[in-house]
Amino acid sequence: MANTEHSKLKLLYLYHYFRKYVKAEPPEDGTSMSDMLSYLNEMTGEDFERKSVYSDITRLNTFARTVGLCEPYDDWISLDGKTYKRGEVIGDLTFDEARLIVDAINATDFIDSGLCEKIKAMYPTYFKAGYNSVIPHDDRSAMKKYIYYLNTIRRAIDEGIVITFKYGYLVASGIRGASEKKVSPLGLDFNNSHYYLIAVDNEAVENGTDKQDAIKNYRLDRIRGINLCIDDKYITFKNRDETLRKFVKSSVDAYAYKGKDDRTVMITLTSDDEKRLLKAYTGFADNMKTSIISDRINDGTIVFSVRTGLVPPFFQTLFKVSMYEGVTMVIDDEDVKKKYSEYLNKALGSCKLQ
């Protein structure tokens, strides 16, 4: 078969076979010579001699070392008894990485689940036996529109172009109460399964607000109808990357507050039930960065501090933790206690009980 057209393609078929159908991660099943010959016959309709496949494997190992698919001193394809096994390809996604990406895509409304099928097709050996990913979300009808928005925003960021759009509130999958925004896009952020546009509010700057203070977050799924305004003045910063870094650091955390009320608050939790105490503490630790001051959980007490502003998310966390039965919470800050009391009274006043 040395002079047939299929014999010239045989090496490429073998390369494709080992990349797509032979698993590199343990436990490695590997493949046999008879499996390879069957695959080649299926692809070409011809039968090949074992000797020619041996030679091709030697060529594939030389190729892999030369182009950096494996280390210079390794064989990419090795023989273990009667089983041929392949090593990982340098730079490829690993077994765990590929599955992690598929899980993340399925768990994110914004990302088209069709990407999962592309990844599975690239790494079929990673997804054998009906891999059960996390349950996919199905609300992806606006996918193409959001991709268009992203591409438009990226162009505006790269070229320094002002954009306008409608920005409102999501109600029953629709946008309500939308208002017109004119901004200078600085960057994109992805947090809690949502894209955010970070931009300078041009109108705020025109009305006298310092441009640093006019930087705001806009959640992408609340944006409608982006337009480029090429002739409008784009607001720039000398060091945009540093500006973005500082803004994200201060704004992603819902408890941050750029003002004099930003403070460290010490909180003491006590309970006769260790599990309840741990559950209450976790109510803080899952939402805020905590610093342990005194860990006496075995004695029913834990003392810690949080850095926060006097903002609603902080008071909401205090309220949730205070609802744990059998747990006492002591706040070592008079201003916080006063504001928290006002928050509770305001919440009670806004709730009309029948």
Side-chain angles (χ1 to χ4, degrees):
M1 300 291 178
N3 295 320
T4 67
E5 185 64 27
H6 283 143
S7 68
K8 297 175 183 179
L9 292 173
K10 176 163 60 70
L11 185 64
L12 295 176
Y13 284 132
L14 280 174
Y15 172 78
H16 179 76
Y17 176 76
F18 275 97
R19 283 299 308 268
K20 297 282 284 187
Y21 302 115
V22 181
K23 185 179 175 183
E25 299 256 348
E28 304 146 330
D29 297 327
T31 188
S32 66
M33 177 60 70
S34 60
D35 287 337
M36 285 185 276
L37 292 172
S38 295
Y39 174 77
L40 291 172
N41 177 265
E42 178 185 344
M43 298 301 294
T44 67
E46 297 185 15
D47 293 322
F48 295 93
E49 296 179 356
R50 290 171 175 260
K51 184 177 180 181
S52 68
V53 176
Y54 296 147
S55 298
D56 283 340
I57 288 174
T58 299
R59 294 188 184 98
L60 286 174
N61 279 329
T62 301
F63 169 77
R65 286 191 291 269
T66 302
V67 302
L69 297 183
C70 63
E71 299 293 347
Y73 46 80
D74 280 343
D75 280 338
W76 181 45
I77 301 169
S78 60
L79 182 61
D80 183 7
K82 293 184 179 182
T83 302
Y84 288 87
K85 299 183 177 182
R86 80 162 176 91
E88 291 184 11
V89 172
I90 294 176
D92 251 6
L93 292 178
T94 67
F95 176 83
D96 290 330
E97 288 170 342
R99 291 193 167 195
L100 179 63
I101 290 172
V102 167
D103 287 346
I105 291 171
N106 272 330
T108 305
D109 288 338
F110 186 83
I111 303 176
D112 186 355
S113 58
L115 288 175
C116 294
E117 304 311 315
K118 293 179 181 179
I119 294 173
K120 290 178 181 179
M122 292 172 64
Y123 301 95
T125 60
Y126 294 169
F127 299 96
K128 286 182 176 179
Y131 169 66
N132 293 316
S133 178
V134 296
I135 298 172
H137 294 192
D138 297 320
D139 186 17
R140 304 172 191 268
S141 58
M143 167 55 53
K144 291 183 179 179
K145 175 175 62 182
Y146 290 147
I147 290 176
Y148 168 76
Y149 286 172
L150 280 173
N151 290 336
T152 303
I153 290 170
R154 289 189 178 109
R155 178 191 170 190
I157 292 170
D158 292 341
E159 299 180 19
I161 301 174
V162 172
I163 62 173
T164 61
F165 53 84
K166 295 284 188 180
Y167 193 65
Y169 300 89
L170 283 172
V171 179
S173 299
I175 296 293
R176 306 286 291 275
S179 58
E180 185 81 16
K181 302 294 181 183
K182 180 186 287 186
V183 303
S184 298
L186 300 178
L188 285 164
D189 185 30
F190 191 78
N191 186 46
N192 292 330
S193 296
H194 289 287
Y195 269 108
Y196 291 85
L197 164 64
I198 301 173
V200 180
D201 184 335
N202 280 37
E203 293 183 354
V205 173
E206 291 171 4
N207 291 329
T209 302
D210 183 81
K211 65 181 182 179
Q212 184 73 48
D213 295 329
I215 301 175
K216 298 179 181 178
N217 263 331
Y218 302 92
R219 212 172 91 174
L220 197 65
D221 60 350
R222 293 172 55 187
I223 289 175
R224 294 293 184 271
I226 295 179
N227 295 298
L228 296 171
C229 303
I230 296 176
D231 295 330
D232 283 56
K233 181 182 178 181
Y234 181 83
I235 299 172
T236 61
F237 290 83
K238 289 183 179 180
N239 191 333
R240 186 174 69 181
D241 290 345
E242 181 63 16
T243 299
L244 283 169
R245 188 190 67 79
K246 288 181 178 179
F247 177 80
V248 170
K249 184 178 179 181
S250 65
S251 67
V252 167
D253 184 356
Y255 304 90
Y257 182 81
K258 293 183 288 185
K260 63 182 180 180
D261 286 333
D262 188 33
R263 64 184 65 206
T264 298
V265 180
M266 189 169 71
I267 296 171
T268 301
L269 297 176
T270 59
S271 177
D272 294 333
D273 188 307
E274 182 177 336
K275 281 191 175 181
R276 288 177 179 174
L277 180 61
L278 290 170
K279 187 179 291 187
Y281 171 71
T282 303
F284 278 102
D286 283 350
N287 293 283
M288 307 180 69
K289 184 177 180 181
T290 61
S291 297
I292 299 293
I293 297 173
S294 176
D295 177 359
R296 302 196 310 275
I297 293 175
N298 291 336
D299 296 328
T301 301
I302 184 168
V303 183
F304 60 94
S305 65
V306 294
R307 187 71 182 174
T308 182
L310 302 187
V311 290
F314 175 53
F315 296 130
Q316 290 165 12
T317 300
L318 290 177
F319 178 73
K320 289 178 182 177
V321 173
S322 70
M323 296 300 292
Y324 285 110
E325 185 179 353
V327 178
T328 300
M329 178 172 63
V330 176
I331 303 169
D332 188 17
D333 188 303
E334 293 302 321
D335 287 339
V336 172
K337 287 191 284 188
K338 180 181 177 181
K339 291 287 186 180
Y340 181 41
S341 178
E342 293 173 358
Y343 172 84
L344 292 175
N345 287 326
K346 183 178 179 180
L348 183 61
S350 65
C351 180
K352 294 183 179 180
L353 301 175
Q354 296 291 333

